Amino acid sequence: MRYPDHLQKLIEVLKRLPGVGNKSAERFAFHLLNWPASHLNELSNTIKEIKEKLKNCDTCGCLIDQSFCKFCDLERRNPSTLCVIASARDAFAIEQTRQYRGLYHVLGGLLSPMDNRGPEQLSLPRLLNRIVGGSIQEVIMAFDSTLEGDATALYIKKELNNHPIKISRLALGLPLGSSLDYVDEGTLARAFSGRGLF
Amino acid sequence: MRYPDHLQKLIEVLKRLPGVGNKSAERFAFHLLNWPASHLNELSNTIKEIKEKLKNCDTCGCLIDQSFCKFCDLERRNPSTLCVIASARDAFAIEQTRQYRGLYHVLGGLLSPMDNRGPEQLSLPRLLNRIVGGSIQEVIMAFDSTLEGDATALYIKKELNNHPIKISRLALGLPLGSSLDYVDEGTLARAFSGRGLF
């Protein structure tokens, strides 16, 4: 016997969530069936209001819920450094470290010809305009250490070649608390070549 | 920097889903931020309409999307056997086996004093009325093989003690395709004691 139509539809739309296959979607759907109406309405309304209540800053692309962007607040932040990130989510992770007080620029992804993401899709021209026209002295590239991250970093470095701007990228090495036994050889090699005086 | 309020709220409501902790909820929430409005509306509306479009059959408790319950269809199903299940979801799983053509009764859970689920919370009195007053000759208890499943099965068996009804429970044994090396000793012991002539 097939599931009732509405249940099947619920399962299908839940499967659009990342990492949610048929089994998880079924589990979520049957769990939702037992939720009180108030919780269902809350979830439904919160989802419906996403586009209306959350925006991306026109300047840096970070996530904001009002017209003023705290990430671009020049009174509190250092306008001479710019941290380039792939997604708005990364800004929150970096803020949590309390190590960085400069500005951000969200690319909206990393270069990936396979996925049809070229420089135009990633607001890379807009980034270059922002750097070249502004007061920025250092660009920090905080990308994943993947092929796409490497490609994006290389592209930006090449484009900024003729400008007197310091360009840096996050350090590669052992994760904090990691054991050498469990670290892959690529990471270990980078940790070696990037070793610092102690 | 804290997440914007609406994002934080979205994460909190997503955490009510089973098995979804902070990390998964954040992942879902940031994924939802990138969904097109049409997909967001679809998910939102599907969730909102759950209570309106999906009901439980008044007789058997199975999930239905109209007033007619296919699980109770006496023209196509055998009214002399009744399969007792913990949740409406189990009926779909059992239907998929194509082994059973009788009726169902959904308890809505299993006996669990720890969780305050006694016979009244589980519509057990209603089940007993249905059995005693009807044409049912066999009651099949299709419960988890857990403490709660055992307790519920024992309770039903005791209550039906004075009635001339056959009571059975799902077989315990090796799962199909399993290897003896990986089967726990409890399962192996039950598979031994329940062995059949070959």
Side-chain angles (χ1 to χ4, degrees), chain B residues 20-169:
Chain B
V20 175
N22 218 37
K23 279 279 167 193
S24 304
E26 283 182 7
R27 190 159 166 239
F28 289 166
F30 278 99
H31 202 266
L32 286 169
L33 293 182
N34 293 324
W35 281 23
S38 61
H39 281 194
L40 289 177
N41 283 335
E42 206 171 1
L43 176 58
S44 165
N45 292 335
T46 311
I47 291 169
K48 195 183 284 282
E49 291 167 358
I50 285 176
K51 294 275 181 214
E52 168 193 327
K53 296 226 172 152
L54 293 167
K55 308 270 177 209
N56 292 94
C57 169
D58 288 335
T59 309
C60 72
C62 283
L63 204 63
I64 50 174
D65 54 0
Q66 48 202 349
S67 52
F68 178 74
C69 174
K70 288 184 197 162
F71 296 97
C72 289
D73 181 0
L74 293 180
E75 295 203 353
R76 288 157 174 270
R77 308 194 68 102
N78 173 3
S80 68
T81 54
L82 183 73
C83 180
V84 188
I85 50 185
S87 99
R89 183 176 185 178
D90 300 331
F92 295 101
I94 293 170
E95 285 298 294
Q96 278 201 328
T97 68
R98 298 175 186 276
Q99 292 271 316
Y100 180 69
R101 300 297 296 162
L103 304 176
Y104 287 97
H105 190 91
V106 178
L107 290 183
L110 293 169
L111 284 181
S112 173
M114 298 264 290
D115 302 320
N116 263 330
R117 278 204 306 272
E120 285 71 27
Q121 281 76 43
L122 296 187
S123 75
L124 273 167
R126 206 162 59 78
L127 167 66
L128 300 177
N129 281 338
R130 196 175 165 199
I131 293 171
V132 172
S135 56
I136 289 149
Q137 286 160 23
E138 178 174 3
V139 170
I140 302 171
M141 299 185 291
F143 301 147
D144 297 348
S145 71
T146 58
L147 274 182
E148 287 84 4
D150 294 349
T152 314
L154 277 172
Y155 177 91
I156 294 174
K157 190 184 157 112
K158 210 184 74 193
E159 292 292 317
L160 295 178
N161 226 351
N162 299 322
H163 299 280
I165 290 171
K166 189 174 159 192
I167 304 178
S168 59
R169 196 173 169 197

Side-chain angles (χ1 to χ4, degrees), chain A residues 26-60:
Chain A
E26 284 182 7
R27 190 159 164 239
F28 288 166
F30 278 99
H31 203 266
L32 286 169
L33 293 183
N34 293 325
W35 281 22
S38 61
H39 282 194
L40 289 176
N41 282 335
E42 206 171 0
L43 176 59
S44 165
N45 291 335
T46 312
I47 291 168
K48 195 183 283 283
E49 290 167 359
I50 284 176
K51 294 275 181 217
E52 167 192 327
K53 295 226 171 154
L54 293 167
K55 308 270 178 210
N56 292 95
C57 169
D58 287 336
T59 309
C60 73

